[in-house]
Amino acid sequence: MNTAVNAKQAGAAGNPGPGAPKTARGARTRARILKAAEDTFGTLGYHRAGISDITRAAGVAQGTFYTYFAGKEEILRELVRDMGHQVRAHLAAEIVDARDRLEAEEKGLRAFLQYLFENPSLYRVLQEAQFVDESIYRDYYEAFGKGYLRMLANATRKGEIRAGNNEVRVWALMGMSNFLGLRYALWERDVPFDEIVDTIADLFRNGLTLDGKEKAS
Amino acid sequence: MNTAVNAKQAGAAGNPGPGAPKTARGARTRARILKAAEDTFGTLGYHRAGISDITRAAGVAQGTFYTYFAGKEEILRELVRDMGHQVRAHLAAEIVDARDRLEAEEKGLRAFLQYLFENPSLYRVLQEAQFVDESIYRDYYEAFGKGYLRMLANATRKGEIRAGNNEVRVWALMGMSNFLGLRYALWERDVPFDEIVDTIADLFRNGLTLDGKEKAS
């Protein structure tokens, strides 16, 4: 995971935070602490994890932690923001070659399932963040949804998908990926990802009806 | 909420539990304690809630609690099971008049959004249960999914929906409802439920493509 890049992105977005690193070396240290927090929260859970568990995993002194983060809740918030940047950057790279929105949906879903399988702490940290402060969880999905909505609006404009309430669609599609990931990437890998993607691609291309489009009603 | 009926259902299913009530009066008391647990966990959260908060809300003595439940984790498990029975019974009643599966999906989604709006503690309790014991959360969705799968399999057999991997569809559809509920019934009610249902109905009837069915590919 390239947390350093995301620390830079956050800075470029005019959102440096009180402990934003001023040097490349500082950015690397901050990224190492974030990665350690991800592993520690993912393994022990947020409530049981202490800052000393994080600094030990990162191989830094406690004082170094406080150079970058005010405390446990702040690092959780930064971590979720950072994980969100990473998921979105990863998915964006995976769908860059898609010819149209439907192909992008297929590539995006496959990439998401694979990503989640390789980064299971994403869910655990996200879900637990709800109970620390629901806005952390909500911000994650609202940021995700904002980019997604732009893509669907573009696709509508280009005539790649039918007109409709794209915001509602975005929440439906995020929920779909979320549960498919939970069930088939985290709980049990008993259905090949290709079959999952094919099933959803068929839904997007033909709906659930036998002959695809409903007769004029 | 009719928890007494569900206590009976659980008993009929051969799953009485150590503290299953033997009389109608006992069933009512147990149901009152479950309802108090729902409110208490929903308001204070599981970790902050004590058994004395539950017994106070239910208006029963601590000893009465232990007649029916071994402790806090057991009542959480029973509560989630009971909430699951209630959601499913409620949705089943709402879709009983649907002419076909697509109409059932529409009625079911509308009923679910309304239910969640009226019972916001369902999500809070469910989500928090993940961190007490993930199997509580997983059992809830697996039980829900099992009934859903039967309905989709019937619909496929009757030619109401196209053939496909119905299990994958079930998880996609549960995820959809879950996120639509979170966003539009719990966080902000800024889109009428009818518009949400219409958007999803259009997806099920026509997919996302302009002309519905994709040209043979």
Side-chain angles (χ1 to χ4, degrees):
Chain A
M1 295 215 178
N2 190 349
T3 36
V5 167
N6 290 303
K8 245 167 60 193
Q9 285 176 341
N15 221 341
K22 282 159 199 76
T23 64
R25 195 193 142 123
R28 280 196 303 274
T29 305
R30 185 178 180 279
R32 199 160 75 237
I33 300 171
L34 277 175
K35 180 77 186 84
E38 181 184 339
D39 297 340
T40 308
F41 292 153
T43 318
L44 297 180
Y46 176 81
H47 289 288
R48 278 167 57 210
I51 286 174
S52 59
D53 295 307
I54 298 172
T55 52
R56 198 178 317 116
V60 301
Q62 291 242 4
T64 309
F65 178 96
Y66 290 104
T67 310
Y68 299 103
F69 305 100
K72 201 164 86 161
E73 186 170 329
E74 198 202 301
I75 198 174
L76 176 66
R77 190 178 296 276
E78 287 301 307
L79 174 60
V80 170
R81 194 176 292 162
D82 188 70
M83 288 169 117
H85 285 144
Q86 286 177 54
V87 178
R88 294 199 298 278
H90 178 75
L91 297 184
E94 291 288 321
I95 66 175
V96 76
D97 292 332
R99 284 164 307 176
D100 58 23
R101 191 62 226 159
L102 291 189
E103 199 180 301
E105 288 297 327
E106 293 170 32
K107 284 175 183 282
L109 176 57
R110 188 181 287 103
F112 178 72
L113 294 171
Q114 187 61 34
Y115 186 89
L116 203 56
F117 175 68
E118 288 163 13
N119 299 276
S121 49
L122 173 63
Y123 261 39
R124 164 125 207 196
V125 171
L126 246 183
Q127 295 287 357
E128 208 170 2
Q130 279 181 90
F131 296 99
V132 179
D133 182 345
E134 203 187 27
S135 73
I136 301 177
Y137 181 79
R138 194 169 156 167
D139 287 352
Y140 174 92
Y141 284 107
E142 286 182 345
F144 204 112
K146 225 162 132 177
Y148 210 154
L149 179 58
R150 251 190 325 263
M151 294 191 286
L152 290 194
N154 273 336
T156 304
R157 205 160 32 239
K158 287 198 260 174
E160 291 173 3
I161 61 170
R162 46 199 293 118
N165 187 325
N166 280 326
E167 194 203 71
V168 170
R169 284 172 172 164
V170 156
W171 286 90
L173 299 181
M174 289 196 298
M176 237 186 217
S177 306
N178 185 295
F179 267 52
L180 291 171
L182 190 63
R183 169 61 182 81
Y184 296 109
L186 295 181
W187 286 347
E188 263 184 87
R189 266 201 84 166
D190 55 350
V191 175
F193 289 167
D194 279 343
E195 183 167 343
I196 297 168
V197 172
D198 288 348
T199 302
I200 302 306
D202 183 65
L203 173 65
F204 290 165
R205 291 182 192 274
N206 300 305
L208 286 176
T209 53
L210 278 197
D211 55 351
K213 195 172 174 69
E214 182 82 341
K215 276 116 231 142
S217 58
Chain B
M1 294 215 178
N2 189 350
T3 37
V5 168
N6 290 303
K8 244 166 64 192
Q9 284 175 344
N15 221 341
K22 283 157 200 76
T23 63
R25 196 193 140 119
R28 279 196 302 274
T29 303
R30 184 179 182 279
R32 198 159 77 236
I33 300 172
L34 277 174
K35 181 76 187 81
E38 180 184 340
D39 296 340
T40 308
F41 292 153
T43 317
L44 297 180
Y46 176 81
H47 289 289
R48 278 167 57 209
I51 286 174
S52 59
D53 295 306
I54 298 172
T55 52
R56 198 178 319 116
V60 301
Q62 290 243 5
T64 309
F65 179 96
Y66 291 104
T67 309
Y68 300 102
F69 306 100
K72 200 164 87 159
E73 187 171 329
E74 198 202 302
I75 197 173
L76 176 66
R77 190 177 297 276
E78 287 300 309
L79 174 61
V80 169
R81 193 176 293 161
D82 188 69
M83 288 168 116
H85 284 145
Q86 286 178 54
V87 178
R88 295 199 297 279
H90 179 75
L91 296 184
E94 291 289 320
I95 65 175
V96 77
D97 292 332
R99 283 164 308 175
D100 58 23
R101 191 63 225 160
L102 291 189
E103 200 180 301
E105 288 296 327
E106 293 169 34
K107 283 174 182 281
L109 176 57
R110 188 180 288 104
F112 178 73
L113 294 171
Q114 188 61 34
Y115 187 89
L116 202 56
F117 175 67
E118 289 164 12
N119 299 275
S121 49
L122 173 63
Y123 261 37
R124 165 128 205 192
V125 171
L126 245 183
Q127 295 287 356
E128 208 170 3
Q130 279 180 89
F131 297 98
V132 179
D133 182 344
E134 203 188 25
S135 72
I136 301 177
Y137 182 79
R138 193 169 158 168
D139 288 351
Y140 174 91
Y141 284 107
E142 287 183 343
F144 204 111
K146 226 162 130 178
Y148 210 155
L149 180 57
R150 249 189 326 263
M151 293 189 287
L152 290 194
N154 273 337
T156 305
R157 203 160 34 237
K158 287 197 258 174
E160 291 173 2
I161 61 171
R162 44 199 296 117
N165 187 324
N166 281 327
E167 195 203 69
V168 170
R169 284 173 173 164
V170 157
W171 286 90
L173 298 181
M174 288 196 299
M176 237 186 217
S177 305
N178 186 297
F179 267 51
L180 291 171
L182 189 63
R183 169 63 182 78
Y184 295 109
L186 296 181
W187 287 347
E188 264 185 87
R189 267 201 83 166
D190 56 348
V191 175
F193 289 168
D194 279 343
E195 183 168 342
I196 298 169
V197 172
D198 287 350
T199 302
I200 301 307
D202 183 65
L203 172 65
F204 290 165
R205 291 182 191 274
N206 300 304
L208 287 175
T209 53
L210 279 197
D211 55 351
K213 195 170 175 70
E214 182 83 338
K215 278 116 231 144
S217 60

